[in-house]
Amino acid sequence: WVGASDRGTLLRGLEGSVTLMLGELRQELGMGFRPAAVGLHPRRPVLTGAIAREVIRQFSSNGSPEPDINTEEGDGLLGFEQRFGREWLVTLGGYGHAWDTQGSTRGNGLGGLLRISSGPRYRASGVRGEVVLTDSYQRVQAEARRSIRLGAGFRAIPGVRFGWGKDRPLQRTFPLGGMDGFPGL
């Protein structure tokens, strides 16, 4: 993946970001815009969106490969985000999602999104959660991890994940092992 951010240089007072992910199974282009902020983090409006293509691998109950399913999707968020302390971030807003899954009908959903995080996803320790409620599907996910030093340069990172959903599109199901896990199960 590659990403860039601009803190008001190109468009004065506007912070923008773009990410491009080119994985074997998923390709995604994401963009986000917020008013630029320095120092204390007030509540500020946010506009984000992404388009993606993903190959979902399928397996039978005995573990045999089944044909892959190609998906395409786009989503967007218009809302507000608020920092609490140095790390906690709460995002709340209107959410739209449209998708097309090979071999089935297209779908879309409008609703709301609530996201809470205790810091960046790349950190070994943290808490993250997201609730998406649309007129087409519902999805709740939460994750907590804690890095523990074991001495002599070793570290353990135990964690727990929770996921629940109803009528989700295939690409919004929960892969075994989370985002770093094994797609298709």
Side-chain angles (χ1 to χ4, degrees), residues 23-27 53-60 63-71 139 161 170-185:
E24 178 185 353
L25 300 176
R26 185 173 174 87
Q27 301 83 45
R53 296 172 50 160
E54 185 171 6
V55 175
I56 307 290
R57 292 183 174 165
Q58 297 282 324
F59 298 87
S60 67
S64 302
E66 293 186 356
D68 295 344
I69 297 176
N70 296 313
T71 67
R139 185 175 194 274
R161 288 188 185 94
L170 180 62
Q171 61 270 45
R172 294 300 168 103
T173 57
F174 301 100
L176 183 65
M179 294 304 291
D180 300 321
F182 188 78
L185 293 178

Side-chain angles (χ1 to χ4, degrees), residues 22-103:
L22 299 173
E24 178 185 353
L25 300 176
R26 185 173 174 87
Q27 301 83 45
E28 180 176 332
L29 174 65
M31 298 180 78
F33 299 97
R34 299 156 178 78
V38 176
L40 295 176
H41 297 284
R43 180 179 30 227
R44 59 185 183 162
V46 61
L47 171 64
T48 64
I51 56 173
R53 296 172 50 160
E54 185 171 6
V55 175
I56 307 290
R57 292 183 174 165
Q58 297 282 324
F59 298 87
S60 67
S61 59
N62 67 6
S64 302
E66 293 186 356
D68 295 344
I69 297 176
N70 296 313
T71 67
E72 297 177 347
E73 66 180 324
D75 68 355
L77 168 73
L78 176 60
F80 292 92
E81 63 183 18
Q82 172 75 51
R83 283 215 180 270
F84 294 94
R86 293 187 61 178
E87 298 291 325
W88 287 90
L89 179 65
V90 176
T91 305
L92 177 66
Y95 179 75
H97 182 209
W99 64 90
D100 187 9
T101 304
Q102 173 188 354

